[in-house]
Amino acid sequence: MTVVAIADKLHAGGRLTRDEALEFYLHAPTSLLGGLADQARAHRHPEGVVTYIIDRNVNYTNVCVARCKFCAFYRPVGSAEGYTLGFDEIFRKIDQTIALGGGQLLLQGGHNPDVPLEWYEDLFRQVKRRYPEFRLHALSPPEVIHISRLSGLMTAQVIDRLIAAGLDSVPGGGAEILVDRVRKILNCYTKATADEWLGVMREAHRAGLRTTATMMYGTVETVEERLEHLFRLRDLQDETGGFTAFIAWSYQPAHTELGGTEATGIDYLRTLALSRLVLDNFDNLQSSWVTQGGKVGQLSLAYGANDMGSVMIEENVVRAAGAQYCMDEFEVVRNIEGAGFVARRRNMHYDVLGAPVFRERDVPRMRELAVARDDGRAGEAPDLRDYEARSAAGKRARQ
Amino acid sequence: MLQDLESKASSGESFSHEEAERVLACADLVSVGTLGELARRARHGDVVTYGHVFEVAGDAVPSELGDAREVRITSRPVSVAAGCALVRAVVAASGDIPVTGFSATDLLDLVGGDHLALAEAARELCAAGLTGVAYFPVDRFEEPAELVRALRHGGLEVSRASVDRASTLAARLVCIERVAALQREVGALLAFAPLPRFDEIETPSTGYDDVRTIAVARLVCGEVPSLQVDWVLYGPKLAQVAIAYGANDIDNVPATDPLGLGPRRSPRIDIVRQISAAFATPSARNSRFERVS
Ligand code: SF4
């Protein structure tokens, strides 16, 4: 099929096949891709609203046994730079988040063998006791798999126990590219194969949780593999309808073992636009301003995105790989309105919560994103001593 | 929404004020880009040029010029004599690479706003080895033609128009139209960099405003050959996206690898990668905008 015929098919409401998507990505001008994605966005969101969420991205530990080649964030077990936050540190972050108008933590971390399932359960229960309205968007599928391996429970059982403790939704991290050839090269096959990642999401959806889906592109994958990723997500969404949103971001190469270069801004906009066209069963596509910067982040709104993502407040993972952008609520809203949309706050389920907080009350401006620990201190918090460590180094430290 | 303007954009004919305002106000950003890209292709085909510049920010004379095709002095001299001394030192270290320098605003300030004195200062700087002014910020001059004549009378080229500050789209359109008029009057310009060099800290310009500015500058300034974006100031991502909105030149690509990111990520390799990934053909150019590769 030619590009023109594919465009006609999309205009008529048709669904892209894999071959058509490939042809379109390879040969359609960026303006055509962007124009069609923008139409698809407007069709799904005719009210002209662009949403965002005020939440905090907390990475509770950087200790990780997975050792993904694209990751600049993790530290191996026993590293002097490894850290694991304590409950009080996390509660303080929640207090700060609430002060900025936020109502949720995005909680993700390394695969730390010395943090057992009970730690997460206790944390979630205490959070819910102290902050009954506060939401926990926590633990991506590879983390769930890691906890299942540590605990000896099935992933579905882990999910059930986490839900019982207070888990509200699951972030779509760790998907990278859902093709095992790519995952083997990136050394993220053992943390979760493509089927395993999708399997945990299927279980989470069946358990009643909503989740997001992500794609980290621009490492070693081919265009066909990038598309394979999108189609696998589309298939699962057809089956469960459990994904609330899709977020694509480009691999950030600084300080990683894999190295190399970052995909370009135009590649990002084309990938985003194609995602909007392929993922015709996803309501929401987020802009990744944290990897693309505010300017290209805002331009995303013309190429298929209908959500500016999170104000974030804190970020550790992308920063470790060289990207350091910051947008507080004022900036996010200014960019949304500057693009001609109405800005609305939302929760993880994409329910609109209201107008910007800073228009209702004074909120301090935020010039840079916080980090896990302000003083850069490493080490695990003392309350970890109450839990069983699995690694030799962890056992020694807790003696 | 702007389809009726596409044939005019493709012809390379300059847009009127009303047409420019219509493009700036259009909510459909992708259509704006289509017009800018059509106008770029009408003038330059698939080629997008880039210039490696070695910037001299203080008074430190360069020792290693890397890929530089232009050495650009960006500081403000305390006097014409001090400016001449710096130019002589930089020229001596730059071999046969052209040296440009200073902002026309600063030079005019140094001579108390007097055009005759400006021509004399230009003559002295030219004698010291300066080939042209680095920045000619049109937002700072309501009637820039006389200034261009004075500088050129003294022997300095004014080949690039720039903008210091213009935070609103309306202010940017004033600058764009001023450049178009200037070119019609004196015809000296080889390039225009329409994105401001200085931004508001509290409310920096947005991506939408920047790419709209690029497109409208391309559409209004049909007689200015090159439309450029500064690689260092605006970053590789926006500079690359600007190509899809009408920019045909990436200026101020570092001449050396200041971050030491290694050969695959050096500016020399990265600029070619970025332009190619924008579906254009990269070509290095010198400070006269002559293609050298
Ligand atoms: S990406 Fe996650 S799982 Fe992989 S090494 Fe980094 S922290 Fe560990």
Side-chain angles (χ1 to χ4, degrees):
Chain A
M1 226 181 197
T2 65
V3 163
V4 174
I6 297 166
D8 287 345
K9 179 178 174 181
L10 285 166
H11 274 304
R15 202 166 210 212
L16 284 179
T17 65
R18 279 173 164 75
D19 288 346
E20 289 162 357
L22 179 63
E23 174 70 16
F24 215 52
Y25 183 78
L26 292 178
H27 301 299
T30 305
S31 54
L32 179 61
L33 257 174
L36 283 165
D38 193 45
Q39 283 173 24
R41 191 264 321 147
H43 183 71
R44 214 167 249 283
H45 300 278
E47 65 294 340
V49 166
V50 165
T51 46
Y52 65 95
I53 187 167
I54 302 176
D55 70 353
R56 183 164 185 150
N57 203 346
V58 173
N59 303 110
Y60 55 92
T61 181
N62 66 347
V63 176
C64 188
V65 292
R67 295 171 172 253
C68 306
K69 283 188 183 169
F70 55 81
C71 179
F73 167 70
Y74 81 89
R75 294 294 178 271
V77 174
S79 164
E81 294 175 0
Y83 76 83
T84 305
L85 300 178
F87 289 3
D88 285 341
E89 290 177 291
I90 293 173
F91 298 150
R92 273 198 297 279
K93 290 173 189 289
I94 293 176
D95 291 334
Q96 291 161 359
T97 305
I98 292 170
L100 290 169
Q104 173 180 284
L105 284 195
L106 165 55
L107 195 69
Q108 296 183 111
H111 298 185
N112 187 334
D114 301 324
V115 181
L117 173 58
E118 293 73 21
W119 183 87
Y120 299 96
E121 291 180 307
D122 290 347
L123 173 66
F124 290 7
R125 287 210 169 85
Q126 290 200 35
V127 168
K128 291 294 178 173
R129 208 164 23 245
R130 284 171 174 247
Y131 313 93
E133 302 299 316
F134 204 78
R135 298 278 172 164
L136 289 168
H137 184 48
L139 306 180
S140 61
E143 288 170 275
V144 172
I145 292 168
H146 168 73
I147 295 168
S148 119
R149 288 172 186 161
L150 275 184
S151 64
L153 298 171
M154 307 291 283
T155 48
Q157 292 173 297
V158 171
I159 291 170
D160 286 344
R161 283 190 44 181
L162 291 171
I163 292 173
L167 177 67
D168 291 298
S169 54
V170 173
E176 330 311 356
I177 291 289
L178 292 169
V179 174
D180 287 340
R181 184 196 78 85
V182 175
R183 302 185 77 79
K184 284 176 184 165
I185 295 172
L186 298 179
N187 199 37
C188 60
Y189 175 77
T190 48
K191 77 174 181 184
T193 66
D195 283 345
E196 284 172 334
W197 190 95
L198 291 159
V200 171
M201 284 307 193
R202 184 179 287 108
E203 286 166 354
H205 296 166
R206 284 192 183 140
L209 295 184
R210 304 300 302 277
T211 77
T212 55
T214 66
M215 172 170 76
M216 183 196 70
Y217 68 92
T219 55
V220 298
E221 83 281 1
T222 62
V223 175
E224 287 86 346
E225 287 166 334
R226 217 180 276 188
L227 284 167
E228 173 69 13
H229 179 100
L230 295 177
F231 278 94
R232 293 210 71 181
L233 291 178
R234 189 171 87 173
D235 290 346
L236 183 57
Q237 181 74 331
D238 278 343
E239 182 188 326
T240 66
F243 291 117
T244 54
F246 172 74
I247 311 119
W249 65 80
S250 54
Y251 159 60
Q252 305 292 306
H255 315 301
T256 65
E257 185 184 339
L258 186 66
T261 54
E262 186 188 348
T264 68
I266 285 186
D267 193 8
Y268 172 71
L269 294 175
R270 288 178 67 84
T271 301
L272 177 70
L274 188 76
S275 303
R276 173 58 87 181
L277 297 174
V278 171
L279 299 176
D280 54 4
N281 51 2
F282 276 66
D283 280 340
N284 303 295
L285 262 70
Q286 278 187 25
S287 152
S288 176
W289 60 260
V290 75
T291 59
Q292 305 303 310
K295 293 190 185 211
V296 175
Q298 187 202 32
L299 292 175
S300 309
L301 302 179
Y303 292 80
N306 67 298
D307 185 272
M308 278 295 275
S310 165
V311 167
M312 285 204 167
I313 304 174
E314 173 177 335
E315 208 289 319
N316 303 285
V317 177
V318 172
R319 177 199 300 255
Q324 287 195 37
Y325 300 108
C326 176
M327 281 177 116
D328 62 4
E329 190 197 24
F330 176 84
E331 261 310 280
V332 166
V333 169
R334 194 173 69 86
N335 274 275
I336 292 171
E337 293 177 346
F341 296 98
V342 176
R344 285 288 175 262
R345 243 174 337 116
R346 64 159 173 87
N347 61 17
M348 187 273 154
H349 289 100
Y350 287 77
D351 304 320
V352 168
L353 300 179
V357 169
F358 71 86
R359 296 225 167 100
E360 292 165 1
R361 62 176 166 85
D362 271 352
V363 176
R365 292 292 312 265
M366 190 176 67
R367 310 283 176 202
E368 58 179 22
L369 295 174
V371 291
R373 280 185 176 146
D374 291 341
D375 57 6
R377 197 167 30 89
E380 64 178 26
D383 49 10
L384 265 295
R385 289 178 186 278
D386 298 338
Y387 299 90
E388 187 194 358
R390 291 290 286 275
S391 74
K395 284 177 181 158
R396 269 198 307 277
R398 288 181 198 172
Q399 269 169 5
Chain B
M1 271 195 273
L2 298 170
Q3 281 93 334
D4 57 308
L5 295 174
E6 287 182 6
S7 59
K8 185 166 184 177
S10 301
S11 74
E13 197 187 329
S14 295
F15 275 33
S16 67
H17 177 79
E18 289 70 30
E19 288 165 336
E21 284 200 317
R22 213 183 122 199
V23 176
L24 281 180
C26 180
D28 178 1
L29 197 68
V30 172
S31 296
V32 173
T34 301
L35 291 183
E37 194 167 23
L38 285 171
R40 169 176 69 79
R41 286 180 184 277
R43 186 172 258 285
H44 298 281
D46 276 343
V47 174
V48 168
T49 51
Y50 60 94
H52 283 295
V53 175
F54 190 100
E55 282 196 331
V56 179
D59 55 8
V61 174
S63 55
E64 214 272 275
L65 292 169
D67 297 317
R69 300 280 179 180
E70 175 186 342
V71 176
R72 188 178 291 168
I73 302 170
T74 60
S75 52
R76 183 188 200 279
V78 292
S79 65
V80 174
C84 288
L86 178 58
V87 168
R88 274 191 288 274
V90 172
V91 166
S94 301
D96 54 5
I97 301 170
V99 176
T100 63
F102 313 122
S103 165
T105 326
D106 292 341
L107 296 181
L108 191 63
D109 278 353
L110 283 182
V111 297
D114 183 298
H115 287 196
L116 281 178
L118 181 66
E120 180 54 24
R123 194 190 59 70
E124 289 174 38
L125 289 163
C126 183
L130 198 70
T131 61
V133 288
Y135 306 106
F136 190 84
V138 289
D139 54 309
R140 307 288 288 270
F141 315 118
E142 277 181 23
E143 290 178 6
E146 279 309 307
L147 281 178
V148 172
R149 289 192 185 103
L151 289 162
R152 295 180 86 196
H153 187 70
L156 290 184
E157 290 171 10
V158 184
S159 55
R160 294 185 336 117
S162 55
V163 175
D164 272 357
R165 290 179 194 279
S167 53
T168 65
L169 284 177
R172 290 180 176 196
L173 182 55
V174 168
C175 293
I176 290 167
E177 292 182 325
R178 202 171 276 171
V179 168
L182 176 65
Q183 183 72 338
R184 282 195 296 274
E185 200 170 341
V186 295
L189 299 175
L190 298 176
F192 175 32
L195 297 182
R197 289 179 59 220
F198 304 101
D199 210 349
E200 306 294 326
I201 293 173
E202 287 294 316
T203 51
S205 69
T206 65
Y208 265 60
D209 283 358
D210 287 348
V211 296
R212 276 189 179 124
T213 302
I214 291 289
V216 170
R218 179 66 286 164
L219 294 164
V220 170
C221 300
E223 291 169 42
V224 179
S226 281
L227 210 283
Q228 58 181 203
V229 181
D230 188 306
W231 170 273
V232 171
L233 270 185
Y234 280 85
K237 283 186 198 282
L238 192 89
Q240 188 214 25
V241 172
I243 294 170
Y245 284 78
N248 71 289
D249 184 76
I250 310 295
D251 183 44
N252 201 18
V253 180
T256 56
D257 184 1
L259 300 177
L261 295 174
R264 285 173 65 198
R265 297 174 67 199
S266 69
R268 179 196 296 172
I269 302 296
D270 203 31
I271 184 66
V272 170
R273 181 177 76 94
Q274 296 276 350
I275 293 174
S276 303
F279 305 95
T281 305
S283 177
R285 53 127 179 113
N286 61 20
S287 65
R288 297 290 310 154
F289 289 80
E290 293 154 348
R291 284 158 58 178
V292 293
S293 73

